[in-house]
Amino acid sequence: MAVGYALAKKGVIDKKGSDQMTTLLSYVVLPCAILYSFQMKFLSSMLRNFLIMCVITFGIHVFSILVSTMIFNKKFVPEDQKRCVLRFSSTYSNCGFMGFPLLESLGGEQWTVLWLSL
């Protein structure tokens, strides 16, 4: 990210180049990273951990939806469109690209597979 920021500040990458790199990351690099992360031996404990993560993730999302509905109500955010955006963005994050290397360094391939599966 720092390299991309520096190149954009120096004018090496313009808006069109940035859009092209985003498309490349979204349609080529990310699917390849997902497929690469599944290249390991299957263990029965992985299935158990996956199911536990599904339950935890479901609970976190339900909790986030309830809290965001209470916080971003008509009284505090009267505009419908703004309220919907605030509720959605507080429930569903976009931490995928930056989180993968960190996840793999902390927990190895198994954590990355669990995260990509959810």
Side-chain angles (χ1 to χ4, degrees):
M1 286 178 58
V3 172
Y5 179 78
L7 291 174
K9 278 295 190 189
K10 293 203 179 258
V12 176
I13 299 173
D14 60 358
K15 174 75 171 130
K16 184 178 177 184
S18 174
D19 291 344
Q20 290 172 334
M21 284 194 297
T22 300
T23 301
L24 179 68
L25 281 171
S26 297
Y27 293 105
V28 177
V29 175
L30 184 58
C32 288
I34 291 170
L35 290 174
Y36 175 76
S37 70
F38 282 101
Q39 304 301 314
M40 66 170 84
K41 184 179 177 185
F42 178 78
L43 303 171
S44 60
S45 63
M46 290 172 64
L47 179 60
R48 182 179 48 87
N49 290 340
F50 172 74
L51 294 174
I52 291 169
M53 287 300 298
C54 285
V55 170
I56 291 171
T57 302
F58 181 76
I60 288 172
H61 278 85
V62 168
F63 177 77
S64 296
I65 290 168
L66 292 174
V67 169
S68 67
T69 302
M70 290 186 322
I71 293 173
F72 303 117
N73 56 36
K74 285 187 179 186
K75 180 179 178 183
F76 293 114
V77 185
E79 300 125 28
D80 286 338
Q81 187 174 8
K82 186 175 182 180
R83 189 172 56 253
C84 288
V85 169
L86 289 170
R87 286 178 179 173
F88 182 85
S89 61
S90 64
T91 302
Y92 304 101
S93 68
N94 184 15
C95 60
F97 289 121
M98 294 177 10
F100 293 147
L102 179 62
L103 239 121
E104 190 159 345
S105 66
L106 290 174
E109 292 177 340
Q110 289 184 346
W111 283 25
T112 308
V113 168
L114 284 173
W115 180 259
L116 291 173
S117 302
L118 299 176

